[in-house]
Amino acid sequence: MCGISCILALRGHDTTYHQANGHIHTNGDTHALERKKIVTELNESLDKIQHRGPDARGHWLSDDNRVALGHVRLAINDLSPDGAQPFHSPAKKIHAVVNGEFYDYDRIRKEIESTTDYVFSSRSDSEIVIALYLHHGLNFVHYLRGEFAVVLYDEEQQIFIAARDRYGIKPLFWTVQPDGKGGKRMLIAAEMKAFLPLGWKPEWDVRSLKDAGWNHDERTIFAGVGKIRPGHYLTCTAFGHLEQRQYWDMTYPDKNLPDPRTPEELIQGVREKLLDAIRLRLRADVPIGIYLSGGIDSSVIAGMVTHLVKTEGVALGSQPASSRVCCFSIAFDEGSGFDESSIANRTADWLGVKYEKKIMNEAALAERFEDAVWHAEHHNPDLNFVGKYALSEVPQECGYKVVLTGEGADEHFAGYPSYLDDYLREPDNAYEANNTLSEPERLKQFHLAETAAKAYYDSVGADTSARGASVSRKMLNNISTISSMAAFLPRVFAPWTDKAYGLCDPQRTIVNNADGTVRAKILNSWHPLHSAMYIWSKGHLANIFLTCLGDRTEMAHSIEARTPLLDHKLTEYINGLPPSVKLRWMPEERRFSEKWILREAAQPFITRELYERKKHPYSAPTTWPRDGPLHKLLKGLMTKEKVEQLGFVDWAKVGGLVGKGFGEKGDPGAMRTALVVAEWVVIAERFGVATAEGKF
Ligand SMILES: *[C@@H]1O[C@H](CO)[C@@H](O)[C@H](O)[C@H]1NC(C)=O
Ligand SMILES: *[C@@H]1O[C@H](CO)[C@@H](O)[C@H](O)[C@H]1NC(C)=O
Ligand SMILES: *[C@@H]1O[C@H](CO)[C@@H](O)[C@H](O)[C@H]1NC(C)=O
């Protein structure tokens, strides 16, 4: 797991060296001077993402100075210098930098060695990218299993490729910027801060902030900076034509096609595939630990890892199988409602694993707030990301670089409360014979769930009735999960932004982000539960859970987190299961069991306490005391001057938020909005973002 930063000069770019005064340098070797300049600025760009790869650094610059690939390395596989990047093909015509991890690579490598004449120069998993590209062209992406961001340049074909893993676990941002001499360059990097030394002058994308585009589609919070979408690659041919294409997507069965498999078969299937996904992720040349909370997702991983170590003698990376599994977590002050560490402690005792926990309090959160925002590169309406940032300090302090985490379980096994309403919207015709929920019961529960959902959406200010909401929902077969996804939008924008950016409706952003073929499937063939899970995964999973609650706050402390529950062989299987084994009606208890099939598959590996535990929604404290460290921090950040400097925020709407948000009777809504605005102030200061103004 690493960091990459690359530069591609686009057609029209002048490749000769220009002096600072804009004049062309006429004496000496201008080509060599230009090379030196590019290498220096690329190096400065890598400095900004040094945390992603503190172990080594490398770069490659094409002979014609057009393509530069930079890399910082966190050494995980093949710790020798052979594993240093960029990688080159044996004929030195294909060049690549990789951030991420490819699993099952021993098998893939053997297959390449036995079917082709490719000779590997390292034992690193990353090198398979070059070999696969040589033998499969752009199809190389189909052979990759794991999380990755890859930039590859094929000199002979003049094709530049930037590919991102299926779920967007590893980041890749890009922008086209003036080169200072009348031409343009494409910049592409693991984090946007890496663009700063390359001439990027950050500006707010106000429309994207208002309509939540940064949270759902290709946009970010900065104008002109985009993401490579999950499951896509971007190509640039002959330094001119840019295009993003999809190579993989989540899909679900036809809701009316009966599934003949028994629940027992399905439970067994999930169990085997999850064990496979975990087994593959225990391969590394460094030790591997686990993030353990009080939830079922991380506990089943800890349980299965322990099982694999004990019964199959699988080693945890470089640790011998005889060593103890080590789990990490953070715990918050008692009474915060945040502390699940007593359950995690009982799980750890039961499994016989080591358990390292760090105690956090309000002061510790306040202290880390600004750095966590700098790393996240976007706002977030609560402090969970600061908690995740602190959590990644624990393995680092214990000498670990790799951990396993449970991310992705709620998206694939229907763990979020908002899914219930959409599950009940239609019968599960695919599993009629094995469904525990009768049709009259479904109708009754649907009515209850809809009433509860509406009350909830009203309480959090999600717009379900007004404006274009009914059209948006209709476009996705009426699923209500999009209303929950559009909640918590800060209503603080300056009046001029209404005129400049039109009607900004996050629900419409969410709907439009699903492409036309997907919307057709949602209308005609997918069960509404599956549609809800799809939409959520493209928005919140890709752009919050995997960013400020994932890669960005983990890599801030050089921690690689592996996500077995997002293994695509596993998720393709799960996505193919009928809705009613994900959310299951328990007739005796008269309640729904969310993530039912995961719970059943996990049963031999987890404590009875967890197997029987009803969903306990995990949420951070929403209010904090007056005059405490967080109150003081936010007061300092949210001054009239700093807020007005943003340009797009109306001081009249935010001036009183800090006063309203803190204290015993603090208003959680005011608190959330105050956090968002304070985070924008931090971003403005740290990135040097220009004040937004209404211009065209
Ligand atoms: C890159 O920057 C590092 C310091 O951050 C410095 O030690 C190194 O010499 C630089 N390398 C080049 C090629 O400029
Ligand atoms: C769990 O907590 C108990 C009591 O504080 C302690 O004795 C035990 O060592 C803890 N278990 C682990 C695995 O840390
Ligand atoms: C969607 O909801 C609207 C308004 O409640 C209703 O008229 C319409 O029939 C629903 N469409 C579907 C496909 O359920």
PDB file of all heavy atoms in Angstrom, residues 606-623:
ATOM      1  N   ILE A 606     -18.061 -16.839  16.585  1.00  0.00           N
ATOM      2  CA  ILE A 606     -18.283 -15.680  17.462  1.00  0.00           C
ATOM      3  C   ILE A 606     -18.930 -16.106  18.780  1.00  0.00           C
ATOM      4  O   ILE A 606     -19.479 -17.206  18.881  1.00  0.00           O
ATOM      5  CB  ILE A 606     -19.168 -14.605  16.778  1.00  0.00           C
ATOM      6  CG1 ILE A 606     -20.518 -15.190  16.360  1.00  0.00           C
ATOM      7  CG2 ILE A 606     -18.442 -13.996  15.583  1.00  0.00           C
ATOM      8  CD1 ILE A 606     -21.494 -14.170  15.798  1.00  0.00           C
ATOM      9  N   THR A 607     -18.900 -15.225  19.748  1.00  0.00           N
ATOM     10  CA  THR A 607     -19.485 -15.537  21.059  1.00  0.00           C
ATOM     11  C   THR A 607     -21.012 -15.602  20.933  1.00  0.00           C
ATOM     12  O   THR A 607     -21.605 -15.003  20.035  1.00  0.00           O
ATOM     13  CB  THR A 607     -19.158 -14.451  22.097  1.00  0.00           C
ATOM     14  OG1 THR A 607     -19.688 -13.203  21.623  1.00  0.00           O
ATOM     15  CG2 THR A 607     -17.661 -14.305  22.310  1.00  0.00           C
ATOM     16  N   ARG A 608     -21.619 -16.308  21.856  1.00  0.00           N
ATOM     17  CA  ARG A 608     -23.073 -16.406  21.892  1.00  0.00           C
ATOM     18  C   ARG A 608     -23.675 -15.000  22.073  1.00  0.00           C
ATOM     19  O   ARG A 608     -24.689 -14.639  21.490  1.00  0.00           O
ATOM     20  CB  ARG A 608     -23.449 -17.329  23.068  1.00  0.00           C
ATOM     21  CG  ARG A 608     -24.872 -17.614  23.160  1.00  0.00           C
ATOM     22  CD  ARG A 608     -25.285 -19.034  23.547  1.00  0.00           C
ATOM     23  NE  ARG A 608     -26.665 -19.153  23.072  1.00  0.00           N
ATOM     24  CZ  ARG A 608     -27.008 -19.808  21.994  1.00  0.00           C
ATOM     25  NH1 ARG A 608     -26.110 -20.448  21.282  1.00  0.00           N
ATOM     26  NH2 ARG A 608     -28.270 -19.845  21.601  1.00  0.00           N
ATOM     27  N   GLU A 609     -22.989 -14.190  22.859  1.00  0.00           N
ATOM     28  CA  GLU A 609     -23.434 -12.814  23.116  1.00  0.00           C
ATOM     29  C   GLU A 609     -23.616 -12.044  21.796  1.00  0.00           C
ATOM     30  O   GLU A 609     -24.627 -11.390  21.563  1.00  0.00           O
ATOM     31  CB  GLU A 609     -22.392 -12.105  23.993  1.00  0.00           C
ATOM     32  CG  GLU A 609     -22.631 -10.612  24.172  1.00  0.00           C
ATOM     33  CD  GLU A 609     -21.510  -9.912  24.944  1.00  0.00           C
ATOM     34  OE1 GLU A 609     -20.377 -10.446  24.993  1.00  0.00           O
ATOM     35  OE2 GLU A 609     -21.783  -8.834  25.496  1.00  0.00           O
ATOM     36  N   LEU A 610     -22.633 -12.169  20.915  1.00  0.00           N
ATOM     37  CA  LEU A 610     -22.709 -11.435  19.652  1.00  0.00           C
ATOM     38  C   LEU A 610     -23.725 -12.043  18.697  1.00  0.00           C
ATOM     39  O   LEU A 610     -24.443 -11.339  17.996  1.00  0.00           O
ATOM     40  CB  LEU A 610     -21.342 -11.423  18.970  1.00  0.00           C
ATOM     41  CG  LEU A 610     -20.432 -10.291  19.410  1.00  0.00           C
ATOM     42  CD1 LEU A 610     -19.018 -10.551  18.935  1.00  0.00           C
ATOM     43  CD2 LEU A 610     -20.940  -8.958  18.879  1.00  0.00           C
ATOM     44  N   TYR A 611     -23.783 -13.374  18.698  1.00  0.00           N
ATOM     45  CA  TYR A 611     -24.729 -14.058  17.815  1.00  0.00           C
ATOM     46  C   TYR A 611     -26.157 -13.638  18.143  1.00  0.00           C
ATOM     47  O   TYR A 611     -26.981 -13.445  17.273  1.00  0.00           O
ATOM     48  CB  TYR A 611     -24.545 -15.570  17.954  1.00  0.00           C
ATOM     49  CG  TYR A 611     -25.552 -16.390  17.183  1.00  0.00           C
ATOM     50  CD1 TYR A 611     -25.535 -16.397  15.791  1.00  0.00           C
ATOM     51  CD2 TYR A 611     -26.511 -17.170  17.841  1.00  0.00           C
ATOM     52  CE1 TYR A 611     -26.460 -17.146  15.068  1.00  0.00           C
ATOM     53  CE2 TYR A 611     -27.430 -17.920  17.133  1.00  0.00           C
ATOM     54  CZ  TYR A 611     -27.404 -17.903  15.751  1.00  0.00           C
ATOM     55  OH  TYR A 611     -28.320 -18.634  15.044  1.00  0.00           O
ATOM     56  N   GLU A 612     -26.422 -13.437  19.414  1.00  0.00           N
ATOM     57  CA  GLU A 612     -27.793 -13.112  19.827  1.00  0.00           C
ATOM     58  C   GLU A 612     -28.062 -11.621  19.944  1.00  0.00           C
ATOM     59  O   GLU A 612     -29.201 -11.196  20.127  1.00  0.00           O
ATOM     60  CB  GLU A 612     -28.094 -13.780  21.184  1.00  0.00           C
ATOM     61  CG  GLU A 612     -28.276 -15.271  21.018  1.00  0.00           C
ATOM     62  CD  GLU A 612     -28.413 -16.012  22.338  1.00  0.00           C
ATOM     63  OE1 GLU A 612     -28.228 -15.381  23.401  1.00  0.00           O
ATOM     64  OE2 GLU A 612     -28.700 -17.216  22.274  1.00  0.00           O
ATOM     65  N   ARG A 613     -27.032 -10.831  19.813  1.00  0.00           N
ATOM     66  CA  ARG A 613     -27.174  -9.392  20.056  1.00  0.00           C
ATOM     67  C   ARG A 613     -28.025  -8.731  18.978  1.00  0.00           C
ATOM     68  O   ARG A 613     -27.863  -8.966  17.790  1.00  0.00           O
ATOM     69  CB  ARG A 613     -25.784  -8.762  20.048  1.00  0.00           C
ATOM     70  CG  ARG A 613     -25.770  -7.336  20.527  1.00  0.00           C
ATOM     71  CD  ARG A 613     -24.326  -6.855  20.540  1.00  0.00           C
ATOM     72  NE  ARG A 613     -24.258  -5.514  21.078  1.00  0.00           N
ATOM     73  CZ  ARG A 613     -23.511  -4.551  20.559  1.00  0.00           C
ATOM     74  NH1 ARG A 613     -22.774  -4.803  19.498  1.00  0.00           N
ATOM     75  NH2 ARG A 613     -23.501  -3.356  21.096  1.00  0.00           N
ATOM     76  N   LYS A 614     -28.941  -7.915  19.437  1.00  0.00           N
ATOM     77  CA  LYS A 614     -29.750  -7.166  18.488  1.00  0.00           C
ATOM     78  C   LYS A 614     -28.971  -5.929  18.072  1.00  0.00           C
ATOM     79  O   LYS A 614     -28.077  -5.492  18.769  1.00  0.00           O
ATOM     80  CB  LYS A 614     -31.086  -6.774  19.125  1.00  0.00           C
ATOM     81  CG  LYS A 614     -31.923  -8.000  19.430  1.00  0.00           C
ATOM     82  CD  LYS A 614     -33.212  -7.661  20.141  1.00  0.00           C
ATOM     83  CE  LYS A 614     -33.977  -8.917  20.510  1.00  0.00           C
ATOM     84  NZ  LYS A 614     -33.409  -9.680  21.650  1.00  0.00           N
ATOM     85  N   LYS A 615     -29.328  -5.420  16.923  1.00  0.00           N
ATOM     86  CA  LYS A 615     -28.592  -4.271  16.389  1.00  0.00           C
ATOM     87  C   LYS A 615     -28.544  -3.138  17.403  1.00  0.00           C
ATOM     88  O   LYS A 615     -29.536  -2.726  17.967  1.00  0.00           O
ATOM     89  CB  LYS A 615     -29.251  -3.772  15.113  1.00  0.00           C
ATOM     90  CG  LYS A 615     -28.595  -2.536  14.542  1.00  0.00           C
ATOM     91  CD  LYS A 615     -27.686  -2.869  13.388  1.00  0.00           C
ATOM     92  CE  LYS A 615     -27.025  -1.618  12.834  1.00  0.00           C
ATOM     93  NZ  LYS A 615     -25.955  -1.958  11.906  1.00  0.00           N
ATOM     94  N   HIS A 616     -27.331  -2.663  17.601  1.00  0.00           N
ATOM     95  CA  HIS A 616     -27.139  -1.550  18.512  1.00  0.00           C
ATOM     96  C   HIS A 616     -26.495  -0.468  17.671  1.00  0.00           C
ATOM     97  O   HIS A 616     -25.307  -0.520  17.391  1.00  0.00           O
ATOM     98  CB  HIS A 616     -26.205  -2.006  19.639  1.00  0.00           C
ATOM     99  CG  HIS A 616     -25.963  -0.952  20.660  1.00  0.00           C
ATOM    100  ND1 HIS A 616     -24.915  -0.077  20.568  1.00  0.00           N
ATOM    101  CD2 HIS A 616     -26.645  -0.623  21.777  1.00  0.00           C
ATOM    102  CE1 HIS A 616     -24.954   0.744  21.617  1.00  0.00           C
ATOM    103  NE2 HIS A 616     -25.990   0.440  22.354  1.00  0.00           N
ATOM    104  N   PRO A 617     -27.291   0.486  17.200  1.00  0.00           N
ATOM    105  CA  PRO A 617     -26.706   1.429  16.248  1.00  0.00           C
ATOM    106  C   PRO A 617     -25.525   2.170  16.865  1.00  0.00           C
ATOM    107  O   PRO A 617     -25.609   2.678  17.978  1.00  0.00           O
ATOM    108  CB  PRO A 617     -27.853   2.380  15.901  1.00  0.00           C
ATOM    109  CG  PRO A 617     -28.939   2.098  16.873  1.00  0.00           C
ATOM    110  CD  PRO A 617     -28.648   0.811  17.574  1.00  0.00           C
ATOM    111  N   TYR A 618     -24.428   2.150  16.149  1.00  0.00           N
ATOM    112  CA  TYR A 618     -23.196   2.750  16.603  1.00  0.00           C
ATOM    113  C   TYR A 618     -23.215   4.212  16.221  1.00  0.00           C
ATOM    114  O   TYR A 618     -23.340   4.551  15.061  1.00  0.00           O
ATOM    115  CB  TYR A 618     -22.046   2.041  15.904  1.00  0.00           C
ATOM    116  CG  TYR A 618     -20.713   2.696  16.017  1.00  0.00           C
ATOM    117  CD1 TYR A 618     -19.879   2.412  17.088  1.00  0.00           C
ATOM    118  CD2 TYR A 618     -20.277   3.576  15.043  1.00  0.00           C
ATOM    119  CE1 TYR A 618     -18.644   2.998  17.193  1.00  0.00           C
ATOM    120  CE2 TYR A 618     -19.031   4.173  15.142  1.00  0.00           C
ATOM    121  CZ  TYR A 618     -18.223   3.878  16.213  1.00  0.00           C
ATOM    122  OH  TYR A 618     -16.993   4.462  16.306  1.00  0.00           O
ATOM    123  N   SER A 619     -23.166   5.089  17.211  1.00  0.00           N
ATOM    124  CA  SER A 619     -23.087   6.484  16.812  1.00  0.00           C
ATOM    125  C   SER A 619     -22.316   7.291  17.836  1.00  0.00           C
ATOM    126  O   SER A 619     -22.329   7.007  19.027  1.00  0.00           O
ATOM    127  CB  SER A 619     -24.479   7.068  16.610  1.00  0.00           C
ATOM    128  OG  SER A 619     -25.118   7.169  17.852  1.00  0.00           O
ATOM    129  N   ALA A 620     -21.637   8.262  17.330  1.00  0.00           N
ATOM    130  CA  ALA A 620     -20.803   9.106  18.174  1.00  0.00           C
ATOM    131  C   ALA A 620     -21.696   9.985  19.031  1.00  0.00           C
ATOM    132  O   ALA A 620     -22.835  10.245  18.689  1.00  0.00           O
ATOM    133  CB  ALA A 620     -19.920   9.966  17.290  1.00  0.00           C
ATOM    134  N   PRO A 621     -21.176  10.468  20.153  1.00  0.00           N
ATOM    135  CA  PRO A 621     -21.942  11.442  20.930  1.00  0.00           C
ATOM    136  C   PRO A 621     -22.241  12.634  20.027  1.00  0.00           C
ATOM    137  O   PRO A 621     -21.395  13.019  19.224  1.00  0.00           O
ATOM    138  CB  PRO A 621     -20.987  11.852  22.044  1.00  0.00           C
ATOM    139  CG  PRO A 621     -19.875  10.868  22.041  1.00  0.00           C
ATOM    140  CD  PRO A 621     -19.849  10.226  20.712  1.00  0.00           C
ATOM    141  N   THR A 622     -23.430  13.208  20.149  1.00  0.00           N
ATOM    142  CA  THR A 622     -23.754  14.296  19.231  1.00  0.00           C
ATOM    143  C   THR A 622     -23.607  15.666  19.873  1.00  0.00           C
ATOM    144  O   THR A 622     -23.610  16.664  19.185  1.00  0.00           O
ATOM    145  CB  THR A 622     -25.180  14.143  18.679  1.00  0.00           C
ATOM    146  OG1 THR A 622     -26.029  13.824  19.760  1.00  0.00           O
ATOM    147  CG2 THR A 622     -25.237  13.053  17.633  1.00  0.00           C
ATOM    148  N   THR A 623     -23.525  15.704  21.190  1.00  0.00           N
ATOM    149  CA  THR A 623     -23.294  17.014  21.805  1.00  0.00           C
ATOM    150  C   THR A 623     -22.164  16.910  22.830  1.00  0.00           C
ATOM    151  O   THR A 623     -21.868  15.838  23.341  1.00  0.00           O
ATOM    152  CB  THR A 623     -24.552  17.539  22.534  1.00  0.00           C
ATOM    153  OG1 THR A 623     -24.956  16.561  23.478  1.00  0.00           O
ATOM    154  CG2 THR A 623     -25.671  17.824  21.563  1.00  0.00           C
TER     155      THR A 623
END
